[in-house]
Amino acid sequence: MNRKKIVAGNWKMNMTIDQSNDLINELKLISENNVEVKIAPSFTNLYKAVAILKDSEIEVIAQNVHSEMRGAFTGEISTEMLKSIGVNTTIIGHSERRKYFNETDLVLSKKVKASIENSLNVIFCVGEELSEREKDNHFELIRTQITNGLLDLNSDEIKNIIIAYEPVWAIGTGMTANTQQIQEMHEFIRGLIYDKYGHDISSMIRILYGGSVKPNNAKEIFSLDDVDGGLIGGASLNFSDFNSIVNAANG
Ligand code: PEP
């Protein structure tokens, strides 16, 4: 199946409002053609980002969301709040959320459910630590993360999920997984979706790779059979690098 590629930039906790506006104004120059381009600025920059990009094909997405709709959850942001400013997609389960903010599979599955119930699309991240790979436990770990995070969704709900495979040891380290490691894990993940939802859904679900994707390796990674684009951290903070990565996805 011909799946449209996605290049999504995760800006993490970077960029003041002025820096964000400057970069977004440059990003308007990106010619996407056959790629879906998304950027995930911090919460403080989202509203303005949506306004600047209102006539652009670039989608502004969130880095995180809370599972409750409203109430006494100091410091949190709900699905409804995101939707009210024109944000229709969120990242959930980034390894930094799992690691530094103790977001467990249970917490993440609640966030996924709340998002889908409130029509917020999800980029759901999974990935193993190096120690898990060294113990040869990486496939089992990814199976657990996918099963706990996603597989209680029904067939209509799962269609609103994009999966990002991000080996933790490759994030921000300059170390990418090699092409065999990437392809075999993406194929494994698609197989998990196949086992639960069947052929049609598994062949339409997009699976992104993340972990030190740069202009010099993007083309090779994006050419792999089960790779449908990338989730880009560091290289999304710079127009020229991000633009090159989008071009690499354009074929
Ligand atoms: C990420 O944070 O999702 C990521 C992939 O970061 P980097 O590209 O910097 O490795």
Side-chain angles (χ1 to χ4, degrees), residues 53-73:
L53 290 171
K54 74 175 185 319
D55 296 320
S56 153
E57 296 276 296
I58 298 177
E59 185 187 1
V60 178
I61 70 174
Q63 297 177 17
N64 185 27
V65 72
H66 192 56
S67 55
E68 298 296 326
M69 276 293 272
R70 65 186 67 78
F73 301 98

Side-chain angles (χ1 to χ4, degrees), residues 8-12 91 94-96 125 164-176 209-214 230-237 245:
N10 173 15
W11 290 7
K12 311 192 184 189
I91 298 172
H94 191 278
S95 62
E96 289 149 16
C125 303
Y165 169 57
E166 302 203 298
V168 180
W169 46 275
I171 295 179
T173 59
M175 231 164 95
T176 34
Y209 169 78
S212 298
V213 176
K214 305 287 177 203
L231 184 54
I232 318 298
S236 70
L237 296 172
I245 293 170

